[in-house]
Amino acid sequence: MHKREQGSRVKIVSTGFYAPEKVLTNADLEKMVDTTDEWIVSRSGVKERRIASAEQATSDLCIEAARRALRNGHFKVEDIDLIIVATASPDTIFPSTACWVQEGLKADHVAAFDIGAGCTGFLYGLILAESLILSGVSKRILLIGGEVLSKITNWKDRATCVLFGDAAGAAVLEESRDDSGILSHYWKADGSLAGLLFQPAGGTRMPASVQTVAGDLHYIQMKGNEVFKHAVKRMGESAVEALKRAGLRKEDIRWFIPHQANTRIIDATAERLQVPPEKVYVNIQRYGNVSVACIPICLHELHVAGKLKKGDIILLDAFGAGFTWAAVAYRW
Ligand code: UT7
């Protein structure tokens, strides 16, 4: 246990991300399924996405993102004491992807585990990391959100294959020495709606078999328009609650960083919050929906572009399979 001061906060001290080099454009997809660039852009906002190579597993993307986050913060692997990986596309059902990452980083002194909360996983991880640091269990945590969704995507299903991409984002977290850091959070789940977005086969509910593979049941299945309605409702709810808990007004928000599933979901949530477009960060056009990697990549891009100023209020907001949803109010 580490000593901590009363009333202290937890902050992100470094970020990094990695996206595979291979770019798959909407023009490429037009040759693979019955779709058009116009449909994909107008319905989702995605223009291109990155695709992992045959050799790359989720942990490989996570390891590279983690190395970059450590390097950007001038940390050595020895400086961290816990690895948390959020993912919906683990290397293996067991052991956890975090253990594959730990081995890759040669971080044999740390504990490592995964959290599964769909696309909300990075925010669930942030909330968990905050409490682990504030309670003295951990001092410095490496939190990674990584996905290789391309390997659990049905490339014959135009309703899903145009949406997702592969990437990983990482952050190093520690106790804050000033008033910056996590101000509040709100997190919830509703397992009764699990069947609207899930990977049916491969677990103990429906073990992998010749039949499940023949039926494409090991791929992501999503009732997109149903998910859409819940995402708009729940992301609005999360944002409002996190702001309220931090005692903030919508005018205080400098950056709204939503999960990047669909520009129409982002626009509807921003409209509900009355946050103007220039305060909303959107990069879905370049990466697609990279699930847990969306928010750390947005944070990293804003940071390196010099757009995050000390004291800026940031609202992070996500929704994903489960369903799960969460928001975090943060002072940079
Ligand atoms: O990250 C976790 C959370 N995930 C989300 O939040 C995703 C939420 N859902 C969505 O973003 C949207 O529902 C989609 C982008 C997936 C789909 O947009 P939509 O406006 O809800 O379309 P839809 O599913 O209602 O489909 C409309 C039409 C259908 O044709 P008909 O039945 O009207 O003739 C689809 O078959 O569009 C058709 N369609 C396509 N057409 C061209 C579906 N996919 C495609 C496609 N290209 N790729």
Side-chain angles (χ1 to χ4, degrees), residues 33-260:
V33 286
D34 180 16
T35 192
T36 60
D37 173 57
E38 196 280 327
W39 191 96
I40 302 170
V41 174
S42 64
R43 295 294 179 119
S44 73
V46 185
K47 290 186 177 159
E48 59 183 43
R49 67 288 291 144
R50 303 296 184 89
I51 303 293
S53 68
E55 297 74 34
Q56 282 176 316
T58 297
S59 65
D60 297 306
L61 276 56
C62 291
I63 290 165
E64 189 50 38
R67 285 199 177 116
R68 293 178 184 190
L70 291 171
R71 200 161 56 228
N72 292 339
H74 307 287
F75 293 115
K76 298 192 289 291
V77 165
E78 299 75 50
D79 296 329
I80 57 163
D81 59 18
L82 177 64
I83 296 173
I84 304 176
V85 172
T87 187
S89 50
D91 282 32
T92 45
I93 288 185
F94 73 91
S96 67
T97 301
C99 284
W100 294 107
V101 171
Q102 183 214 31
E103 159 60 13
L105 292 176
K106 302 288 172 225
D108 55 7
H109 62 294
V110 307
F113 63 89
D114 284 3
I115 49 176
C119 300
T120 315
F122 191 82
L123 291 192
Y124 267 47
L126 212 52
I127 295 163
L128 184 60
E130 180 196 30
S131 73
L132 289 171
I133 292 171
L134 292 184
S135 64
V137 172
S138 278
K139 195 167 181 340
R140 192 175 292 117
I141 295 176
L142 175 60
L143 171 64
I144 313 166
E147 304 284 11
V148 175
L149 296 172
S150 63
K151 294 191 185 180
I152 57 166
T153 293
N154 183 349
W155 290 100
K156 293 178 293 202
D157 175 17
R158 68 175 182 172
T160 54
C161 75
V162 302
L163 302 171
F164 300 107
D166 302 335
V172 178
L173 291 134
E174 63 179 39
E175 195 176 329
S176 175
R177 306 252 162 256
D178 52 29
D179 65 352
S180 63
I182 297 173
L183 302 175
S184 72
H185 75 259
Y186 175 78
W187 57 348
K188 281 199 83 174
D190 182 356
S192 72
L193 299 168
L196 294 180
L197 172 53
F198 75 140
Q199 186 184 2
T204 53
R205 186 170 287 265
M206 191 190 286
S209 67
V210 172
Q211 287 76 20
T212 62
V213 172
D216 289 335
L217 297 171
H218 54 300
Y219 293 133
I220 297 169
Q221 284 189 4
M222 177 167 76
K223 294 208 167 49
N225 42 18
E226 286 295 313
V227 177
F228 187 100
K229 286 182 236 159
H230 290 281
V232 170
K233 181 172 170 214
R234 297 309 193 180
M235 285 179 68
E237 167 195 318
S238 296
V240 168
E241 284 299 323
L243 280 181
K244 194 156 78 186
R245 290 177 183 194
L248 294 166
R249 298 159 308 150
K250 55 185 187 302
E251 299 79 32
D252 297 321
I253 300 171
R254 174 61 194 92
W255 284 109
F256 176 49
I257 304 183
H259 172 52
Q260 310 280 312

